[in-house]
Structures are given as structure tokens and as C-alpha cells.
Amino acid sequence: MTRTRLLAVAAAGTLMLALGGVGAASAGDGLNVSGTDLAPDQIGYSKNIKHLSNTPHVGPFAGQFGTDLAFQGDRAYVGNYQGFIIYDISNPSSPRTLAQVNCPGSQNDISVRGDLVYLSTDSSRSDDSCESTGQPATIKESWEGIKIFDVSDVTKPKYIKSVETKCGSHTHTVVPGESADYLYVSSYGPRDSFPDCQAPHDLISIVKVPHAAPTSATVVETPVLFPDGGNSGTAGCHDITAYPSKKIAAGACMGDGVIMDISDPEDPKVVETVRDTNFAFWHSATFNSDGTKVVFTDELGGGAGATCDAATGPNRGANAIYDLSAGNDLTFKSYYKIPRHQNTTENCVAHNGSIIPVKGRDVMVQSWYQGGVSLWEFTDSTSPKELDYFERGPLSPSNLGGTWSAYYYNGFVYSSDIQKGFDVLMLKDPTLRKANSVRLKEFNAQTQPVYPIR
């Protein structure tokens, strides 16, 4: 969701445990019912998706936005404007809350690496603590950036380090190194009145986190990716996805889609740039399994607009599919957008997703806010198609909502719904069954692995 749509979060925070049960939402389900045919809050789905469970936000997290997801072992880490939540997902039909970390600061984009959780703060705060309050960015002492937590005891996370970054941290991407992690921090929205967020801001911040001493984490570089200013005043990136095994990354940088050479993680180089007059806001990027294609998303309307309708059409607020050559050249092939028209009260546009690891095919699961979760295929780059879906009817009363991120991890699809909480889905398509045998020890969607596909 874009910076201009950020909402205020609660002022204070404490660390608390919440060990509890889970409620599954199934009343009013509708097989093959979707889009404008769904009643408020009714669940609709296609035949090959089963809704296993829903865990609502509770306590100070109730009413706050759920955001991105990360995974490690049998745990899911879920970002929230109020902090983050750790779930035990060893039984996907009944996730169990291990901890809630109350640490306000939109949008709390999250990743996990070893014993560390990285959290992005992209709202100006009075200080870097979990008890901070909102404070105008016009005040020099205001803080935004990266927070680091030690989660070696997942029931008692400890806040150990903060790193301030220019214009805050809307999202971050982990680029693993031999002796350190590198966080590519994406941020934007410079203004002359913001002392710590001045134009031009055609850069990313690189935070180095030494494995042996994470509390010495610091900004080591702020490389300018667009020395010419970028397309339409790009002024930063929204999100970056790394493919470490190929030493490349794909950046969605507001007005530009780029490929970067990250062979030196402290000195990324833009080696390919594409632009599309049809795109309103380059939001995110996903490689296919072997890194020969890139799916860029257009967040038309900033995540708050109702853009999944006939008036907007099939090519705006959509995915753009590019083939990627061995020389890192991008070639546009087609657009993909969900075919299910939504109501005028439902914010809906392409958002976060990940690959389903199945041999010989390019299949992706993806969030579309109130357009729900879409399972779609782009094996033929010129002819993408939806395979299955899961969605809810419009929120009642109307509000911003829907699924922020939907990722496939170790046999199941996990979705972070902005308003409704944490959903678990099972794919029943027999042609995708072999994906269930793929197991990862850790998964951050913006750090794409080489899947052990059979």
C-alpha cells in the first residue's frame, strides 16, 4: 500500500504473549460464487481451494492493518501496523499464537533470517522505541527506518537494534551474504520540509547486519539507482525482489521496472530498465521459478481504489509479464488481471504473491486486496489465466481491506487479510500436487529461493 494511504496507529506498545485458540470462518460459503455476486462478508471460492482456518486480530491488533508475511520452520511471522505476530503453523487447520509484539509503526513490512526479525517502519515516530508516538516528519528528531528483533525464543522476542534510513522504510529485502545480511530498504515520498527525506531521492538504503554482531547494524551505502531522475520523478523504489542464486534483483520503482546486478551486495547496478505508460505505480516484482520471467505489479489507486471493474478494464491495475533473457533483457509479453469484477466499495488491485513450485509450469498465488486470492498460470507468457480463487464479499460497513499478501509455503497458502486476520488455504488441484513435496526451512517472498522442484 502506498505511503499516502497510511493510517495512524495506536500510540503505545508493550510486548505481550497471547496463547490462544483459533476460529474458522465458514458460514455463508459460496462455491463458484465471486465478485459482485457475493453478499457482504460472504466467502466465495472455486472447487480446488479449501479454506482451512481464520485467526482474527485480537487485543491492540484488532482494527489495525495486517500486512506482509515471512516463514521459518513451522512458524509464520505476520506484520501489522501495530507490530507483528508469530504463529505456530505446525497444524495449518488450527494455527496457534506464540507471541504478539506490540510495536506501532506502519507498515511493519517483515522478514525473518535465522534468529532475527527485520521490521520496516514507514511512519514518522517520536523515537525508535516500541512506545513511540506519531510525530511529524518535519521535525528533525523524528525517526523512521529498520527495527531488529531477536526471536531465538519465539515466545519472547527482544528488540535489539534500530537503524534510521532516509525517508523511512516502506519495504525491505534481505540479500544474504556469507558473514552478513544486507537489507535493501525501499522508501519514497521526499519533501523539502522533511529534514531526513530530501529530494532528489532516487536511491535505496543498504543496511548491513553482521551475523556475529547484529547490534552493530548500520547503513553502509545509499546507491542512487536513477542518476537521470527516473521516469516521472521516480523518487525511490517501492519494493525489490532478489534472486540471490543468479545475483540479480528486480525492482519496482514507482515509475520504472528494473533489473539489478547484485553480485556485489553493497554496490548494486541497474542493468535493465523498462517503462510502461499503462502502469500507474510500479509496486512489486516476482521471478518465476528459474528466473527467466518477471511479474511486475501495478498498484493503481494506491491500494485504496476500486479498480477491478469493467470501467477500469483488464490491463490497468494488473500484472505485467516479462520474459527475462540470460543477458538480463526484459521483453513485455502480456497483462494479467483477475476476471472477477468487484463492487465499487471494494479496494482491489494487484498485490503481493509468490510462485507455486511445480515442474515445467509457471503458477503463482497472489493477493488482490478485496479481490481475494488468485491462483493463476503464466506458463505461456502471452496467455495467462486464472485457475482458482478465494475471496470475501464486500466489508460491511465498507472499509479498506482484503488480502495484503498470499504466499505458498510448505504445502499451504497463507494469507494476511488487512481486516480479517490470518487465513490458511489448501490447494486441491491434482496437477499441482507435487508442489506439496517441496519444503523450505525459511521463506521471505522478496528473497526468492531456488526451489527443489521434482
Side-chain angles (χ1 to χ4, degrees), residues 56 69 96 111 121 155 195 231 251 311 315 329 334 344 360 369 392 417 421 450:
L69 298 156
R96 184 170 62 94
S111 59
T121 299
T155 67
N231 182 34
N315 295 337
D329 295 320
S334 66
T344 57
Y369 289 116
R392 291 182 169 94
D417 189 286
V450 176

Side-chain angles (χ1 to χ4, degrees), residues 30 45 129 171 234 398 423:
Y45 59 96
S129 74
T171 64
T234 291
S398 62
D423 287 305

